[in-house]
Amino acid sequence: MTYSEIKAIASDSESLEHWEAIRGMISTQDGEILRFILKYQVPLEKFIRYELAARGFDESHHWIGFDKAEKIWLK
């Protein structure tokens, strides 16, 4: 994804709800946290996968239990 594409998403008055939620999570974070993430190259994908595994659902949001969810998300 390019910065131009991100700019287009940000300026779209009818953007998808998911894009608005993602932008909202980032735009409301303290700058110190955002700089920390960049400086230390925090692996956000791993944090997200860990969180999804801890919820016990699969890719289709069906409850499968924590053990099975770990096998899906923590690969």
Side-chain angles (χ1 to χ4, degrees), residues 12-32:
D12 186 357
S13 63
E14 297 181 21
S15 67
L16 295 175
E17 188 176 325
H18 287 17
W19 286 126
E20 288 191 26
I22 292 167
R23 287 193 59 240
M25 284 188 289
I26 294 170
S27 67
T28 58
Q29 281 303 313
D30 185 274
E32 288 297 315

Side-chain angles (χ1 to χ4, degrees), residues 37-55:
I37 290 168
L38 291 177
K39 181 176 181 177
Y40 294 102
Q41 299 178 346
V42 176
L44 294 179
E45 181 177 342
K46 289 187 177 184
F47 274 84
I48 293 167
R49 287 181 171 280
Y50 182 83
E51 179 62 29
L52 289 170
R55 294 179 183 195

Side-chain angles (χ1 to χ4, degrees), residues 5 13 20 24 34 36 55 60 63 71-72:
E5 290 169 327
S13 63
E20 288 191 26
L34 297 175
F36 177 87
R55 294 179 183 195
S60 299
W63 172 255
K71 290 177 184 171
I72 290 172

Side-chain angles (χ1 to χ4, degrees), residues 57-75:
F57 291 89
D58 67 8
E59 301 95 327
S60 299
H61 200 65
H62 294 111
W63 172 255
I64 57 170
F66 303 113
D67 292 336
K68 288 181 182 177
E70 280 189 16
K71 290 177 184 171
I72 290 172
W73 296 112
L74 303 183
K75 47 183 162 177

